[in-house]
């Protein structure tokens, strides 16, 4: 490892930064964060980098779009520390999350298809009658938050925004989420993962409840399909650059 760092062309921070539109401070920050291997120093204390550092920077920047900054940084730190298995585990987790997002999106689309065939009386009950009558199979806030991978406080925030409308158990006062509430929570969660704001989601949920037209939601989900595809392709690009860096490290 040390020999690799000392051989090849000597590069300055600006040489690494220039090709990626970064500042030299960003390159130094990446080194200090363990994303790049430690740089050698001149007699006067200036950092010198090599083609290995350039490969590390390319790998990190390629990993970010598919895995996010935090995970990409953790992957690079693991590789630079020689813990490749940890890096592979992090990669696997990201791929598993992408697959889960695809499955959730598929479930949402299934829910929309079911909604499209719902009869008018059923829609009326779903839109306004759940708080007035009990429904078997309801779930409480903790289990629902756990299923979605969010905090209960997030569900309460969505409730205040009108995105979910749980009833209250008359005996305990606890929130009870019926089937329609769970559907609305899943739709909200998926759209939030797609980058939509609560104020953008509210009219879409209202459209679903009223069943007056699914076009806005279908367009949003189509956009999220494209985002998932872009993320998957970005993961391929990141994997290629990471493999190149692993080979460069020997």
């Amino acid at each position: 490892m040390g020999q690799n760092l000392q051989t090849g062309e000597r590069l300055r921070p600006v040489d690494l930064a220039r090709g990626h539109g970064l500042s030299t401070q960003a390159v130094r920050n990446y080194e200090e964060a363990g994303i790049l291997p430690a740089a050698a120093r001149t007699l006067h204390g200036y950092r010198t980098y090599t083609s290995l550092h350039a490969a590390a920077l390319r790998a990190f920047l390629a990993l970010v779009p598919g895995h996010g900054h935090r995970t990409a940084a953790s992957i690079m730190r693991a590789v630079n520390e020689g813990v490749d298995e940890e890096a592979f585990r992090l990669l696997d987790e990201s791929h598993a999350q992408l697959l889960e997002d695809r499955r959730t999106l598929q479930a949402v689309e299934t829910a929309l298809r079911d909604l499209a065939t719902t009869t008018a009386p059923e829609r009326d009950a779903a839109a306004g009658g759940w708080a007035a009558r009990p429904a078997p199979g309801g779930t409480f806030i903790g289990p629902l938050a756990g299923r979605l991978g969010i905090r209960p406080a997030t569900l309460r925030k969505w409730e205040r925004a009108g995105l979910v409308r749980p009833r209250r158990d008359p005996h305990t006062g606890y929130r009870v989420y019926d089937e329609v509430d769970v559907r609305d929570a899943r739709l909200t969660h998926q759209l939030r993962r797609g980058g939509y704001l609560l104020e953008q989601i509210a009219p879409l949920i209202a459209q679903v409840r009223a069943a007056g037209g699914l076009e806005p939601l279908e367009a949003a989900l189509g956009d999220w399909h494209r985002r998932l595809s872009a993320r998957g392709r970005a993961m391929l690009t990141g994997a290629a650059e990471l493999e190149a860096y692993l080979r460069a490290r020997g």
Side-chain angles (χ1 to χ4, degrees), residues 71-150:
T71 298
S74 296
I75 291 169
M76 294 303 297
R77 278 193 291 268
V79 170
N80 291 330
E81 292 168 3
V83 192
D84 291 356
E85 286 298 319
E86 174 63 12
F88 299 149
R89 184 190 67 79
L90 291 166
L91 290 166
D92 290 344
E93 283 188 350
S94 277
H95 283 281
Q97 182 62 65
L98 178 60
L99 178 59
E100 181 60 27
D101 287 350
R102 291 188 185 280
R103 287 172 173 166
T104 301
L105 181 54
Q106 184 179 19
V108 168
E109 291 173 327
T110 299
L112 292 180
R113 287 194 295 270
D114 293 343
L115 182 66
T117 59
T118 302
T119 63
E122 288 172 330
R123 289 200 299 269
D124 292 341
W130 287 98
R133 63 183 178 84
T139 185
F140 293 118
I141 190 169
L144 178 57
R147 284 164 58 184
L148 296 176
I150 61 177

Side-chain angles (χ1 to χ4, degrees), residues 132-207:
R133 63 183 178 84
T139 185
F140 293 118
I141 190 169
L144 178 57
R147 284 164 58 184
L148 296 176
I150 61 177
R151 298 178 302 167
T154 300
L155 280 172
R156 290 192 287 269
K157 181 178 180 180
W158 292 353
E159 181 182 349
R160 290 192 296 272
L163 303 177
V164 291
R165 302 186 299 192
R167 64 182 176 89
R168 293 280 185 165
D169 185 282
H171 302 293
T172 64
Y174 294 158
R175 292 171 173 83
V176 179
Y177 296 82
D178 293 302
E179 183 179 353
V180 168
D181 301 310
V182 173
R183 180 206 65 197
D184 292 346
R186 293 189 67 161
L187 290 174
T188 299
H189 183 48
Q190 183 63 27
L191 291 167
R192 286 293 291 140
R193 291 190 65 86
Y196 289 86
L197 304 176
L198 295 184
E199 54 265 32
Q200 295 173 310
I201 296 172
L204 303 178
I205 296 295
Q207 287 278 6

